[in-house]
Amino acid sequence: MHIVVATDFSPLKTLPKVLSHLNFLSEQQITNSALLAFGTNPQQYFPTAVVKCAHFHGLHVAKPIPDHRVIKGDVFTQVDEAIDFILSKIALAVGMRSHSNQAPLKYEIPRAVIAEAIVNAVAHRDYQSKGSVQLMLFANRVEISNPGALPPELTLYNLRNDHSSYPKNPHLAEVLYQAGYIERFGTGTGEILRLCKEAGLAEPVFDLGAGFKITIWRPEVIGKQFKKNGTDQVNDQVTDQVNELIQRLILITDQAYARQELMTILQLKHNPNFRDNYLNPAMQEGYLSMTLPHKPNSTHQKYQLTAKGQQLKIRLEREEE
């Protein structure tokens, strides 16, 4: 069983006490929420407890599909990997180091907006449903939906302001809150609206047509480049996603960094995604190298730009000026 224990629980010491504290034990048996939060394979008991992700070039569901995946594991893994899936596809601007040694980063949609929407979908979905959480990225928007409905105490209008919390899965929501994935109950949708407005994005749309869906709009210029004369067009120059992610890693690497430090700078949390799509390709292409190449698994391992990486970084920075 994989378990994430927040600092508040450390005095409890033993696993049964932690589970009891979270109301994850019933007559000495672990509950469904415990399986979803800490089980190594909760899909054995809840086959549809997954997040289905898909990326489309245009404005509608259509082939080709550049990337699609089904994210399994516990709810923490699902949330982390789903957030990183979106962040790896949307635009990232790396600013100048005028006020800090580390260049500021700005995703086209704030990470907090994506995270809040995905956490809400995973925490409040109907786990008895045969449907799954779905995340679809289009040229002009992100759609995040889940098989669930608003509680009778809430309306779509209520979601626009702070409101009392009526979680579908209260114990699951509580552990996500204790682990820091939820900041305050009842503020999620209001926070999404506020952050989108501050970022200059169009107001998100909430829909109860089939389950619960939120549409988060990408910057207008992103959508326009895929639309011409009222019809959807696929961009002739499809971005090489792996190459784009390597460039992001190169631009932020101004000294030797540990893997976790690089992930923190890029606002990523899912280790396998970072290794497979950012770190390993950058090293395989010769842009990044280990500081301790003979001790690849050392806890003191860091990563730095090679001469080839330095040259590419200079070129990339010149292009951004």
Side-chain angles (χ1 to χ4, degrees):
M1 177 178 288
H2 168 62
I3 186 164
V4 179
V5 180
T7 305
D8 291 347
F9 304 145
S10 55
L12 301 176
K13 294 183 180 179
T14 64
L15 179 59
K17 287 184 178 180
V18 172
L19 294 176
S20 178
H21 180 82
L22 291 168
N23 295 309
F24 278 178
L25 285 180
S26 176
E27 297 181 357
Q28 301 307 309
Q29 298 294 317
I30 59 174
T31 64
N32 291 338
S33 292
L35 285 171
L36 291 165
F38 302 138
T40 53
N41 182 23
Q43 287 70 38
Q44 179 180 351
Y45 306 95
F46 299 93
T48 60
V50 298
V51 179
K52 296 180 178 179
C53 304
H55 175 208
F56 302 95
H57 284 311
L59 304 181
H60 302 289
V61 175
K63 295 181 179 180
I65 306 175
D67 194 5
H68 62 89
R69 67 189 68 173
V70 177
I71 302 173
K72 300 181 180 181
D74 59 60
V75 293
F76 301 103
T77 299
Q78 290 183 41
V79 169
D80 289 344
E81 188 172 350
I83 294 171
D84 288 4
F85 177 88
I86 291 294
L87 294 184
S88 70
K89 311 298 182 187
I90 62 177
L92 172 67
V94 181
M96 303 300 292
R97 295 176 175 80
S98 56
H99 302 292
S100 171
N101 291 332
Q102 178 57 52
L105 305 183
K106 183 180 180 181
Y107 285 98
E108 66 176 70
I109 301 173
R111 184 191 187 279
V113 171
I114 298 297
E116 194 71 51
I118 291 174
V119 170
N120 283 346
V122 171
H124 302 311
R125 63 152 292 175
D126 179 1
Y127 279 95
Q128 301 304 318
S129 169
K130 295 181 180 179
S132 301
V133 172
Q134 293 195 46
L135 189 162
M136 295 191 288
L137 176 66
F138 297 93
N140 67 339
R141 68 194 187 279
V142 179
E143 292 183 358
I144 300 171
S145 59
N146 72 83
L150 289 179
E153 296 87 353
L154 291 178
T155 66
L156 289 177
Y157 178 79
N158 296 142
L159 294 179
R160 302 177 60 84
N161 305 290
D162 287 357
H163 51 269
S164 297
S165 179
Y166 305 95
K168 174 74 174 178
N169 310 292
H171 295 158
L172 195 59
E174 176 65 22
V175 75
L176 286 164
Y177 169 75
Q178 294 285 357
Y181 283 70
I182 298 174
E183 290 189 4
R184 284 193 299 138
F185 288 116
T187 63
T189 50
E191 188 73 356
I192 289 173
L193 291 168
R194 181 184 66 82
L195 290 173
C196 284
K197 183 177 181 180
E198 290 180 354
L201 302 176
E203 184 174 288
V205 175
F206 302 104
D207 180 25
L208 293 173
F212 181 83
K213 180 174 74 174
I214 177 174
T215 298
I216 302 168
W217 301 102
R218 302 179 69 179
E220 189 174 353
V221 65
I222 301 294
K224 282 184 177 179
Q225 67 180 334
F226 289 88
K227 194 167 185 178
K228 184 178 180 181
N229 297 328
T231 59
D232 295 343
Q233 301 289 325
V234 176
N235 195 328
D236 292 335
Q237 297 180 342
V238 179
T239 301
D240 183 335
Q241 190 63 37
V242 174
N243 186 54
E244 165 68 20
L245 301 185
I246 291 175
Q247 291 182 28
R248 295 182 182 188
L249 194 53
I250 289 171
L251 282 169
I252 68 164
T253 306
D254 50 10
Q255 61 185 45
Y257 285 111
R259 175 181 51 78
Q260 192 58 50
E261 290 175 320
L262 290 169
M263 290 179 63
T264 298
I265 294 170
L266 287 169
Q267 303 175 29
L268 305 174
K269 285 192 175 183
H270 192 251
N271 286 317
N273 172 69
F274 179 72
R275 287 196 305 267
D276 295 344
N277 297 312
Y278 293 78
L279 188 60
N280 289 345
M283 289 195 295
Q284 291 167 2
E285 293 294 328
Y287 296 115
L288 219 62
S289 65
M290 297 179 180
T291 57
L292 300 173
H294 302 299
K295 299 179 180 179
N297 298 319
S298 172
T299 56
H300 302 290
Q301 186 65 261
K302 293 189 176 184
Y303 302 87
Q304 61 189 2
L305 291 177
T306 62
K308 180 180 178 181
Q310 291 282 5
Q311 291 176 353
L312 179 56
K313 182 177 182 179
I314 291 172
R315 181 169 64 82
L316 291 172
E317 290 179 333
R318 286 175 178 170
E319 290 176 355
E320 289 192 350
E321 292 178 355

